[in-house]
Amino acid sequence: MVVSEQEIELQQANVAEEVVRDLPGAEASIMVTGTQVRNPNITNTQEANVDEGGIVKVIGEHLVVLRRGRLFTVSLAGGSMRPVDSIYAFPPGVSGEGDWYDEMLVSGDLIVVVGYSYDRGGTEINRFRMSPDGRLRFQDAWHLRSNDYYSSRNYASRLIGNRLIFYTPLYLEWEDDPLEALPGLRKWEGPGRDRPFRRIARPNQIFIVPGMRRISGSEEIEIDTLHSVTTCDLAAEQLDCSAVGVLGPESHTFYVSAGAVYLWVHDFWWSDGRSRFPDAFLYRLPLGRERPSAIGARGAPVDQFAFREDTVDGILNVLVREEGGGDAMGSPEVSGGRIALLRLPIAEFGDGQSSAASSRYRRLPSLPGSSWSFRNRFVGDHLLYGGGRFGEGEREAPVVIAPVRGGPPTTLNLRHAVERIDAIGRDAIVIGGDADENLGFTAVELPRASRPALGDLFLLPSASEGETRSHAFFFRPSSPDGASGLLGLPIRREVAPAYRRFFGSAAAMLFLRRDDRRFARAGELAAEVRGVTDDGCQASCVDWYGNARPIFLGNRIFALLGYELVEGRLARGAVSEIGRISFAPPAASRDGQAQQP
């Protein structure tokens, strides 16, 4: 089904004339041409072949690290570790103060750093090139017109082939010029020489469903945000971007599959479940030549992990709760109310005038207690969810496992809180703290022919997770079903207050073995605090996206810990350190130029 051909008005944007709501997907997408050089994925991603902006990537025999406003390269050639180069992650000639650079993507030798500049305004896209020997050079910088895209869980950028995909919001005011609020792009030409934004979406590429206009005219729902999805061709010499905009309330959740971008918008201040109108709308923005489409819905997904597109079944699965604020800023951390699984045939998306039938929602067990830190994840043919209390471990917490295609859900009681849910091969793992300050790791076995069951439990004394970002966890299977393998996770180890700005709370990397579905401690690689000096940080001086990652590259094992890269070796079931380097910049360097190690 496609978006109908009819005129709409951009009510909240105060556009006087009506425009045709005709958003052909061919105009909103970039056709990938040429040969794509694939770089191996070394971080945990939600969808296969959909890379997510992160703090560490790999190009050939080099690691590229984004850290506190700088890019660094480290050579791994010949089994060694050697710092090669560093450069500021922002354009030359500016200070970077008031800017945040937290997401990086790579394609071949091209490095893209995504940031938000409060100083210059808008989402910043900075492109760099890496030479074969690991040297870095700034190529160009571009700005998208937007407000801050930050989310405590989600990532604003994705990469599919050469296609860069962004989500950005723009909050609208009545006095704004609507044409100046349309998605725009400009090239950075140097301090004080900013060009005007060039529109990358025409008025007829801004979409609002008729149902939302009816609601806004009869009930208190506020259409105050332009949600933009921008795609850019990274292979173009001059960054080539186009955008589709969606008008709606501020609250949103953003998910990217291999074939489409999904955007759920709703008004989290207005949802009583009794109105005859839907309280949310779900948009589907294809990455091919189809037109955008939409459908009315109810409730709110907590974060991007509440979504999974099943292309074989032609179904979009979304776990929703009655109350939630979407995935902007820290809103994912608080949600509440009843829980349901929406299984929506993709063929039912249309022009947004209809709503998902009540039969498409499958009620699932509610959770007791606090609504803090609800977690959800699709693993194989199952959906798992649970939650915890703010700042507290728990002696017992439930996790619910529901077969996606139907069947009775199973509730299992864990001996610790639910703070992370992830996949370990065919099975799942739930991680969280307990009331005795241990960090618990519980396997949830997901056999195909029988009900889910609790698997092995491992308790790490006097520890907690060092990071909550999805990229902080990684599991490398050594058997086809994941019954055996090795996982890495940053853990919290206290450091002196003077060092916390460099290490945060993640000062060690824990490695656990899984041998025939039994956990065993493989060891830790810890950060070295001695000799740490002031790095003269100018931008992104708080690690909102974390500073530690486990890295499995071929047969090699690494822990990225702040400015250190520590290599370990697994032998006789234990990971032990075999080398470390520091790639920290020279102490208190503030000259704004590229820094050489």
Side-chain angles (χ1 to χ4, degrees):
M1 300 180 71
V2 299
V3 176
S4 64
E5 301 285 336
Q6 72 178 79
E7 293 189 340
I8 65 167
E9 60 182 5
L10 300 177
Q11 294 179 339
Q12 197 72 5
N14 200 25
V15 174
E17 61 178 355
E18 292 194 342
V19 295
V20 178
R21 179 165 45 81
D22 180 7
L23 301 176
E27 294 180 1
S29 64
I30 300 296
M31 301 304 295
V32 177
T33 59
T35 301
Q36 168 64 23
V37 179
R38 298 292 296 173
N39 296 305
N41 184 22
I42 57 172
T43 51
N44 182 6
T45 58
Q46 182 179 7
E47 294 286 341
N49 301 318
V50 181
D51 199 10
E52 300 164 358
I55 64 169
V56 59
K57 303 292 179 182
V58 62
I59 300 178
E61 294 186 301
H62 292 84
L63 288 181
V64 185
V65 181
L66 176 62
R67 171 89 168 116
R68 289 167 66 90
R70 289 179 171 98
L71 283 173
F72 301 87
T73 54
V74 177
S75 172
L76 304 177
S80 66
M81 294 185 292
R82 181 176 58 86
V84 177
D85 202 4
S86 68
I87 192 172
Y88 281 113
F90 43 86
V94 299
S95 70
E97 294 181 7
D99 302 339
W100 298 96
Y101 303 99
D102 296 298
E103 298 191 23
M104 170 182 57
L105 290 154
V106 300
S107 178
D109 65 348
L110 183 65
I111 303 165
V112 175
V113 175
V114 181
Y116 186 79
S117 174
Y118 282 94
D119 185 46
R120 291 176 295 285
T123 297
E124 196 165 283
I125 307 165
N126 298 328
R127 298 197 295 181
F128 301 82
R129 291 284 180 182
M130 191 193 82
S131 66
D133 62 355
R135 297 291 171 179
L136 297 166
R137 66 174 176 86
F138 173 79
Q139 178 168 308
D140 54 21
W142 302 78
H143 287 163
L144 293 172
R145 181 160 40 208
S146 78
N147 290 108
D148 197 348
Y149 54 75
Y150 174 79
S151 167
S152 62
R153 297 191 187 179
N154 207 348
Y155 303 95
S157 60
R158 305 291 194 277
L159 185 66
I160 303 177
N162 283 336
R163 181 185 298 180
L164 188 61
I165 302 165
F166 294 97
Y167 164 79
T168 53
L170 187 64
Y171 307 122
L172 304 174
E173 302 291 343
W174 281 107
E175 65 270 18
D176 289 343
D177 180 343
L179 296 181
E180 292 303 316
L182 292 176
L185 176 73
R186 69 184 179 194
K187 186 176 182 180
W188 182 82
E189 299 287 357
R193 299 200 302 271
D194 284 335
R195 294 181 176 180
F197 282 102
R198 172 179 60 86
R199 289 184 215 138
I200 56 174
R202 299 187 304 273
N204 67 337
Q205 290 175 292
I206 306 302
F207 184 47
I208 183 173
V209 296
M212 186 174 292
R213 290 191 292 140
R214 287 197 301 270
I215 295 170
S216 65
S218 61
E219 302 200 32
E220 293 299 322
I221 184 170
E222 192 170 9
I223 303 175
D224 60 359
T225 304
L226 176 60
H227 304 275
S228 297
V229 174
T230 302
T231 61
C232 304
D233 181 7
L234 289 187
E237 181 175 348
Q238 299 292 312
L239 197 64
D240 184 10
C241 301
S242 62
V244 172
V246 168
L247 282 167
E250 176 182 343
S251 183
H252 67 274
T253 310
F254 167 69
Y255 162 71
V256 183
S257 72
V261 176
Y262 293 90
L263 188 61
W264 186 294
V265 298
H266 70 288
D267 192 336
F268 57 97
W269 297 116
W270 176 79
S271 178
D272 59 12
R274 294 187 295 272
S275 171
R276 62 190 178 91
F277 295 113
D279 58 29
F281 288 90
L282 175 58
Y283 296 85
R284 184 175 189 269
L285 309 175
L287 296 174
R289 294 185 177 275
E290 303 170 64
R291 297 184 181 188
S293 52
I295 192 168
R298 292 189 179 276
V302 171
D303 58 25
Q304 73 273 25
F305 295 113
F307 292 77
R308 187 177 72 182
E309 182 188 69
D310 287 335
T311 54
V312 174
D313 295 343
I315 296 285
L316 178 69
N317 300 282
V318 191
L319 184 69
V320 295
R321 302 198 75 181
E322 274 187 296
E323 302 168 6
D327 63 12
M329 296 296 170
S331 297
E333 309 312 324
V334 181
S335 62
R338 292 176 295 179
I339 301 169
L341 175 61
L342 171 61
R343 281 182 51 80
L344 183 65
I346 294 173
E348 292 186 5
F349 280 84
D351 64 2
Q353 299 197 66
S354 63
S355 295
S358 59
S359 61
R360 299 298 185 196
Y361 296 85
R362 175 182 162 205
R363 285 285 302 275
L364 293 174
S366 297
L367 295 176
S370 171
S371 60
W372 176 261
S373 193
F374 182 86
R375 300 285 168 172
N376 45 204
R377 198 70 182 253
F378 289 91
V379 179
D381 294 328
H382 294 83
L383 165 68
L384 294 86
Y385 64 88
R389 302 191 189 112
F390 175 65
E392 299 180 24
E394 300 185 47
R395 295 201 177 275
E396 187 174 276
V399 62
V400 179
I401 306 98
V404 173
R405 293 178 177 84
T410 300
T411 301
L412 302 174
N413 288 319
L414 309 178
R415 290 173 52 188
H416 55 77
V418 179
E419 297 170 353
R420 181 186 296 272
I421 303 175
D422 220 306
I424 48 172
R426 190 183 69 191
D427 298 327
I429 188 169
V430 183
I431 302 171
D434 71 7
D436 298 319
E437 299 185 350
N438 302 307
L439 183 60
F441 298 75
T442 298
V444 178
E445 298 183 2
L446 303 172
R448 293 186 177 91
S450 58
R451 292 174 70 88
L454 289 180
D456 198 28
L457 166 67
F458 177 87
L459 291 175
L460 182 67
S462 302
S464 60
E465 276 200 83
E467 291 190 21
T468 59
R469 284 274 171 187
S470 59
H471 290 176
F473 173 91
F474 202 92
F475 176 73
R476 183 177 71 181
S478 56
S479 64
D481 61 356
S484 298
L486 184 69
L487 69 84
L489 180 74
I491 58 171
R492 185 187 301 269
R493 296 296 192 199
E494 285 300 320
V495 297
Y499 298 120
R500 285 177 187 161
R501 61 182 169 138
F502 302 115
F503 296 107
S505 59
M509 190 68 62
L510 172 72
F511 293 93
L512 284 187
R513 298 194 326 271
R514 194 184 192 213
D515 299 324
D516 196 21
R517 294 192 162 81
R518 301 285 293 180
F519 290 127
R521 184 170 179 168
E524 293 179 21
L525 298 177
E528 175 60 72
V529 299
R530 291 175 299 179
V532 173
T533 59
D534 186 353
D535 61 355
C537 184
Q538 294 184 218
S540 300
C541 298
V542 176
D543 293 315
W544 295 111
Y545 284 54
N547 59 20
R549 297 288 184 268
I551 300 169
F552 299 94
L553 192 55
N555 293 323
R556 301 177 73 179
I557 300 169
F558 302 93
L560 175 64
L561 299 165
Y563 284 124
E564 289 187 296
L565 185 67
V566 186
E567 184 168 7
R569 175 180 295 154
L570 179 64
R572 298 183 178 88
V575 173
S576 57
E577 180 181 331
I578 61 172
R580 75 171 57 215
I581 61 165
S582 170
F583 54 88
S589 177
R590 299 180 180 273
D591 59 5
Q593 302 300 313
Q595 302 301 311
Q596 303 301 323

